[in-house]
């Protein structure tokens, strides 16, 4: 543990999808500076796979059930002693404010933290490509945060966005390794559009990254969430 830091319980709303939640947990363990079990952070992981598809909810406008489930999950984690909550799904952050209002403990804002990290750590970044679900792209949650922090967000063309969705749903969510050609087509387009960085704005893309070598200009939102979760829990990131 970091010297003088209080150890805090991390609550995790997961299951969106289950493999992405597992990948988050593995990375929290891997990046926590620890010499023994007791150096690791205490976590309560709620892998709620029954939560409706976030992109479909945003597209249809029928979000009442989804929001209620996310709010209830946050309340459960608060009752179990969590000091902070991480949500291992980018698209669900469209409902961030509604979920945050349901609890008195902080929910880590993965969207804000990821864009802020890119601006802070990549000082020359001007244009950021956003690779995420239709729900993430259509709701413009990353676009709004980029504008706030003074950088230009870039989305894929409709054709390349279909590649992204196929990679997420047909490949990773279906338990496959992921078609590298789909990813490379999207990255090539971002390069042609003069992007200085590309945010992997879907936790299934984080899983893809764990199985493939990816360009150094890619910033994984999951990595940022892992780092923030560890530090807020009173441990050291490595």
């Amino acid at each position: 543990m970091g010297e003088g830091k209080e150890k805090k319980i991390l609550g995790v709303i997961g299951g969106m999808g289950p493999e992405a939640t597992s990948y988050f947990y593995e990375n929290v363990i891997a990046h926590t500076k620890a010499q023994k079990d007791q150096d690791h952070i205490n976590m309560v992981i709620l892998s709620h796979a029954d939560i409706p598809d976030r992109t479909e909810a945003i597209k249809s406008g029928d979000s009442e059930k989804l929001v209620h489930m996310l709010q209830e999950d946050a309340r459960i984690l608060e009752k179990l002693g969590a000091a902070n909550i991480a949500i291992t799904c980018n698209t669900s952050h469209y409902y961030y404010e509604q979920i945050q209002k349901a609890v008195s403990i902080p929910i880590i804002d993965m969207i804000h933290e990821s864009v802020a990290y890119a601006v802070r750590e990549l000082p020359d970044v001007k244009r950021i490509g956003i690779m995420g679900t239709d729900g993430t792209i259509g709701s413009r949650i990353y676009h709004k945060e980029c504008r706030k922090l003074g950088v230009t967000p870039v989305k894929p063309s409709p054709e390349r966005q279909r590649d992204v969705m196929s990679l997420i749903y047909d490949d990773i969510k279906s338990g496959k390794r992921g078609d590298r050609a789909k990813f490379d087509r999207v990255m090539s387009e971002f390069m042609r559009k003069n992007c200085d960085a590309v945010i992997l704005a879907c936790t299934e893309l984080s899983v893809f990254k764990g199985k493939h070598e990816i360009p150094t200009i890619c910033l994984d939102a999951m990595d940022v969430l892992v780092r923030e979760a560890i530090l807020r829990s009173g441990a050291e990131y490595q």
Side-chain angles (χ1 to χ4, degrees):
M1 302 303 297
E3 186 177 351
K5 289 187 177 181
E6 178 190 355
K7 196 172 184 181
K8 299 177 180 178
I9 297 172
L10 176 70
V12 180
I13 301 178
M16 303 175 284
E19 189 173 3
T21 305
S22 174
Y23 186 74
F24 172 80
Y25 183 41
E26 290 172 5
N27 275 270
V28 168
I29 294 169
H31 289 287
T32 300
K33 186 176 182 181
Q35 300 298 320
K36 57 184 185 296
D37 290 350
Q38 292 74 23
D39 291 335
H40 285 279
I41 68 174
N42 296 317
M43 301 172 65
V44 179
I45 301 174
L46 205 172
S47 187
H48 200 167
D50 283 341
I51 292 176
D53 186 89
R54 282 61 65 196
T55 291
E56 287 301 317
I58 292 171
K59 283 183 172 181
S60 68
D62 184 13
S63 302
E64 185 176 351
K65 179 181 178 182
L66 169 61
V67 171
H68 175 73
M69 292 172 77
L70 290 169
Q71 288 176 329
E72 281 301 304
D73 287 350
R75 292 188 186 105
I76 289 169
L77 292 172
E78 184 175 36
K79 289 176 182 176
L80 290 172
N84 294 281
I85 293 174
I87 304 176
T88 58
C89 170
N90 287 262
T91 311
S92 65
H93 282 68
Y94 176 70
Y95 307 103
Y96 175 83
E97 291 184 4
Q98 291 168 272
I99 307 167
Q100 181 63 84
K101 287 177 182 177
V103 292
S104 59
I105 58 175
I107 297 173
I108 302 171
D109 187 343
M110 180 160 52
I111 312 305
H112 168 74
E113 296 294 346
S114 297
V115 178
Y117 184 89
V119 172
R120 183 174 68 249
E121 300 298 327
L122 307 171
D124 296 325
V125 69
K126 299 289 192 299
R127 295 170 62 81
I128 297 179
I130 310 298
M131 194 183 298
T133 65
D134 286 352
T136 293
I137 300 300
S139 64
R140 302 179 66 81
I141 50 178
Y142 270 98
H143 288 63
K144 293 172 185 174
E145 199 62 42
C146 284
R147 299 288 186 193
K148 282 182 188 177
L149 297 180
V151 292
T152 301
V154 179
K155 67 179 181 179
S157 65
E159 186 177 14
R160 295 287 74 83
Q161 183 59 25
R162 286 193 288 273
D163 277 336
V164 176
M165 286 293 283
S166 180
L167 184 60
I168 293 168
Y169 282 87
D170 298 333
D171 295 356
I172 304 302
K173 282 185 179 291
S174 298
K176 300 175 184 175
R177 178 177 170 83
D179 185 342
R180 183 60 191 248
K182 297 172 187 174
F183 182 86
D184 287 345
R185 285 196 294 266
V186 180
M187 284 301 303
S188 294
E189 182 179 86
F190 279 137
M191 297 298 287
R192 290 195 300 273
K193 291 182 176 182
N194 299 314
C195 291
D196 306 301
V198 174
I199 294 180
L200 303 184
C202 175
T203 49
E204 269 68 44
L205 296 176
S206 304
V207 173
F208 176 87
K209 184 203 70 173
K211 299 176 181 179
H212 299 265
E213 289 291 329
I214 63 169
T216 56
I217 68 166
C218 292
L219 171 64
D220 185 0
M222 173 86 86
D223 288 345
V224 177
L225 182 65
V226 165
R227 180 178 183 275
E228 195 67 21
I230 291 169
L231 295 176
R232 291 195 190 196
S233 299
E236 292 185 55
Y237 179 87
Q238 65 177 8

